Amino acid sequence: EIVLTQSPGTLSLSPGERATLSCRASESVSSAYLAWYQQKPGQAPRLLIYGGSTRDTGIPDRFSGSGSETDFTLTITGLEPEDFAVYYCQQYGTSPGFGGGTKVEIK
Amino acid sequence: QAQLVQSGAEVQKPGASVKVSCKASGYTFSSYGISWVRQAPGQGLEWMGWISAYNGKTAKYAQKFQGRLTLTTNTSTSTAYMELRSLTSDDTAVYYCARGGNSWYVVWGQGTLVTVSS
């Protein structure tokens, strides 16, 4: 079973700043099988990125995904007020799973 | 547009079972799998398993839930079901269905709160 570890647990930033979120896998994951989600309180997760770097329909280009093998990154360039939320990475290989999440909070 | 609508909140006693439904609309049900993900209060997302809506037989379960979880589908009503048995307080969570099997999830249900309490 592949374990995904996200860091940091919490990121305190101001609007306009750049957020860099990390997702590390316990073994190699094809970038084609890595996704990122945003979740706000009381809501279902929302898909941001799939295939490691492809934005879903309607996702602003300030969100970008990168990485390969065991190290993946979600970058948000220029945080907007609506971006403060919890972010999860997901690998969807043979046995899908999620990372523990990173909370992006207002500093 | 594609939508998944789940059944309402449940309260169950320890040792009981719960069955949550997930009704699909706006797309061809049999073209996608249905996955189930749960989230305990204040915790992260936990993948539980998925089932093919094409044949209703191909399914994969997370090892943690093997023997206690059963996923089924009814193609005539475009509805998927998640049954979890031998409930404990640790199973108190919001349960989500999502469209897709071994894939990313664009479409999610609204979530169903299952509370296990004596």
Side-chain angles (χ1 to χ4, degrees):
Chain A
E1 176 188 332
I2 298 176
V3 176
L4 299 178
T5 302
Q6 292 189 241
S7 62
T10 302
L11 203 49
S12 299
L13 296 168
S14 300
E17 290 193 295
R18 176 189 184 103
T20 303
L21 287 65
S22 172
C23 175
R24 183 159 291 177
S26 59
E27 55 188 87
S28 184
V29 174
S30 168
S31 61
Y33 299 137
L34 199 287
W36 290 92
Y37 298 84
Q38 176 193 70
Q39 188 181 34
K40 296 180 179 179
Q43 297 183 16
R46 173 195 182 195
L47 177 70
L48 299 174
I49 302 280
Y50 63 92
S53 60
T54 302
R55 281 187 298 276
D56 190 35
T57 303
I59 301 302
D61 61 7
R62 64 179 180 272
F63 291 92
S64 63
S66 63
S68 62
E69 298 190 359
T70 59
D71 289 293
F72 297 89
T73 300
L74 175 70
T75 302
I76 313 170
T77 53
L79 280 164
E80 297 286 343
E82 62 268 27
D83 299 337
F84 291 92
V86 180
Y87 293 84
Y88 295 94
C89 58
Q90 176 212 13
Q91 62 82 16
Y92 43 91
T94 306
S95 188
F98 292 90
T102 291
K103 181 179 182 180
V104 178
E105 66 175 22
I106 299 176
K107 186 174 181 180
Chain B
Q1 73 279 21
Q3 190 176 10
L4 297 173
V5 177
Q6 299 182 223
S7 50
E10 298 254 9
V11 179
Q12 298 291 343
K13 293 191 183 306
S17 298
V18 69
K19 192 169 187 176
V20 177
S21 68
C22 170
K23 184 172 176 60
S25 62
Y27 73 96
T28 302
F29 181 67
S30 59
S31 295
Y32 297 86
I34 294 287
S35 294
W36 291 86
V37 176
R38 76 177 186 179
Q39 187 169 38
Q43 303 301 308
L45 303 172
E46 181 175 31
W47 182 80
M48 300 178 69
W50 75 272
I51 184 166
S52 166
Y54 176 72
N55 60 23
K57 295 178 182 177
T58 302
K60 183 169 180 66
Y61 299 99
Q63 192 163 2
K64 175 178 180 177
F65 299 103
Q66 290 275 3
R68 202 162 69 92
L69 174 66
T70 300
L71 303 180
T72 56
T73 60
N74 182 332
T75 52
S76 65
T77 61
S78 299
T79 303
Y81 298 91
M82 184 282 299
E83 181 178 28
L84 189 62
R85 298 177 293 279
S86 302
L87 294 170
T88 72
S89 57
D90 289 342
D91 295 314
T92 293
V94 174
Y95 289 75
Y96 293 101
C97 60
R99 191 183 74 175
N102 283 355
S103 70
W104 60 90
Y105 308 136
V106 177
V107 184
W108 292 72
Q110 83 277 19
T112 296
L113 175 62
V114 174
T115 302
V116 182
S117 174
S118 55

Short mmCIF file of all heavy atoms in Angstrom, two decimals, chain B residues 10-16 87-92 114-118:
data_model
loop_
_atom_site.label_atom_id
_atom_site.label_comp_id
_atom_site.label_asym_id
_atom_site.label_seq_id
_atom_site.Cartn_x
_atom_site.Cartn_y
_atom_site.Cartn_z
N GLU B 10 -27.63 9.10 9.16
CA GLU B 10 -28.02 7.88 9.87
C GLU B 10 -27.42 7.90 11.27
O GLU B 10 -26.31 8.40 11.48
CB GLU B 10 -27.46 6.65 9.13
CG GLU B 10 -27.96 6.45 7.72
CD GLU B 10 -28.95 5.32 7.62
OE1 GLU B 10 -29.38 4.79 8.67
OE2 GLU B 10 -29.30 4.95 6.49
N VAL B 11 -28.17 7.34 12.21
CA VAL B 11 -27.64 7.08 13.54
C VAL B 11 -27.79 5.59 13.79
O VAL B 11 -28.89 5.04 13.66
CB VAL B 11 -28.39 7.88 14.62
CG1 VAL B 11 -27.82 7.54 16.00
CG2 VAL B 11 -28.29 9.38 14.36
N GLN B 12 -26.71 4.93 14.12
CA GLN B 12 -26.73 3.49 14.33
C GLN B 12 -26.05 3.15 15.66
O GLN B 12 -25.18 3.89 16.13
CB GLN B 12 -26.01 2.76 13.19
CG GLN B 12 -26.63 2.95 11.82
CD GLN B 12 -27.98 2.27 11.69
OE1 GLN B 12 -28.34 1.40 12.48
NE2 GLN B 12 -28.74 2.67 10.65
N LYS B 13 -26.44 2.02 16.21
CA LYS B 13 -25.83 1.56 17.45
C LYS B 13 -24.58 0.73 17.14
O LYS B 13 -24.48 0.13 16.05
CB LYS B 13 -26.83 0.73 18.24
CG LYS B 13 -28.01 1.54 18.75
CD LYS B 13 -28.83 0.76 19.74
CE LYS B 13 -30.06 1.53 20.20
NZ LYS B 13 -29.72 2.86 20.73
N PRO B 14 -23.66 0.67 18.08
CA PRO B 14 -22.48 -0.19 17.88
C PRO B 14 -22.90 -1.62 17.59
O PRO B 14 -23.86 -2.14 18.20
CB PRO B 14 -21.76 -0.08 19.24
CG PRO B 14 -22.16 1.24 19.77
CD PRO B 14 -23.58 1.44 19.33
N GLY B 15 -22.22 -2.22 16.62
CA GLY B 15 -22.53 -3.59 16.22
C GLY B 15 -23.52 -3.69 15.08
O GLY B 15 -23.64 -4.75 14.46
N ALA B 16 -24.21 -2.60 14.80
CA ALA B 16 -25.20 -2.61 13.73
C ALA B 16 -24.53 -2.40 12.37
O ALA B 16 -23.30 -2.28 12.27
CB ALA B 16 -26.23 -1.51 13.98
N LEU B 87 -20.48 -1.95 13.11
CA LEU B 87 -20.06 -0.57 13.34
C LEU B 87 -19.54 -0.34 14.76
O LEU B 87 -20.05 -0.93 15.73
CB LEU B 87 -21.25 0.37 13.08
CG LEU B 87 -21.75 0.44 11.63
CD1 LEU B 87 -23.06 1.20 11.57
CD2 LEU B 87 -20.71 1.09 10.74
N THR B 88 -18.53 0.51 14.84
CA THR B 88 -18.03 1.00 16.13
C THR B 88 -18.01 2.52 16.08
O THR B 88 -18.23 3.12 15.02
CB THR B 88 -16.60 0.49 16.42
OG1 THR B 88 -15.68 1.16 15.56
CG2 THR B 88 -16.49 -1.02 16.22
N SER B 89 -17.70 3.13 17.21
CA SER B 89 -17.67 4.60 17.24
C SER B 89 -16.63 5.16 16.27
O SER B 89 -16.76 6.28 15.79
CB SER B 89 -17.39 5.08 18.66
OG SER B 89 -16.17 4.54 19.14
N ASP B 90 -15.62 4.38 15.95
CA ASP B 90 -14.60 4.82 15.00
C ASP B 90 -15.16 4.97 13.58
O ASP B 90 -14.48 5.54 12.71
CB ASP B 90 -13.41 3.86 14.98
CG ASP B 90 -12.58 3.94 16.24
OD1 ASP B 90 -12.69 4.95 16.97
OD2 ASP B 90 -11.82 3.00 16.52
N ASP B 91 -16.32 4.42 13.33
CA ASP B 91 -16.93 4.53 12.00
C ASP B 91 -17.78 5.78 11.86
O ASP B 91 -18.33 6.03 10.78
CB ASP B 91 -17.77 3.29 11.71
CG ASP B 91 -16.93 2.02 11.61
OD1 ASP B 91 -15.89 2.07 10.94
OD2 ASP B 91 -17.33 1.00 12.21
N THR B 92 -17.89 6.56 12.92
CA THR B 92 -18.60 7.84 12.83
C THR B 92 -17.85 8.75 11.87
O THR B 92 -16.67 9.06 12.08
CB THR B 92 -18.71 8.51 14.21
OG1 THR B 92 -19.57 7.71 15.04
CG2 THR B 92 -19.28 9.92 14.09
N VAL B 114 -22.81 9.49 9.12
CA VAL B 114 -23.18 8.29 9.86
C VAL B 114 -22.63 8.43 11.27
O VAL B 114 -21.42 8.59 11.44
CB VAL B 114 -22.63 7.01 9.19
CG1 VAL B 114 -22.91 5.79 10.05
CG2 VAL B 114 -23.24 6.85 7.79
N THR B 115 -23.51 8.40 12.23
CA THR B 115 -23.12 8.52 13.64
C THR B 115 -23.36 7.18 14.32
O THR B 115 -24.45 6.61 14.21
CB THR B 115 -23.93 9.61 14.35
OG1 THR B 115 -23.74 10.86 13.66
CG2 THR B 115 -23.49 9.77 15.79
N VAL B 116 -22.34 6.68 14.97
CA VAL B 116 -22.46 5.41 15.70
C VAL B 116 -22.42 5.74 17.19
O VAL B 116 -21.41 6.22 17.70
CB VAL B 116 -21.34 4.43 15.33
CG1 VAL B 116 -21.54 3.10 16.07
CG2 VAL B 116 -21.31 4.22 13.82
N SER B 117 -23.53 5.49 17.84
CA SER B 117 -23.62 5.85 19.25
C SER B 117 -24.64 4.95 19.94
O SER B 117 -25.68 4.63 19.36
CB SER B 117 -24.05 7.31 19.40
OG SER B 117 -24.29 7.63 20.75
N SER B 118 -24.32 4.60 21.17
CA SER B 118 -25.27 3.77 21.93
C SER B 118 -26.33 4.63 22.60
O SER B 118 -27.27 4.12 23.18
CB SER B 118 -24.51 2.96 22.98
OG SER B 118 -23.74 3.81 23.82
#
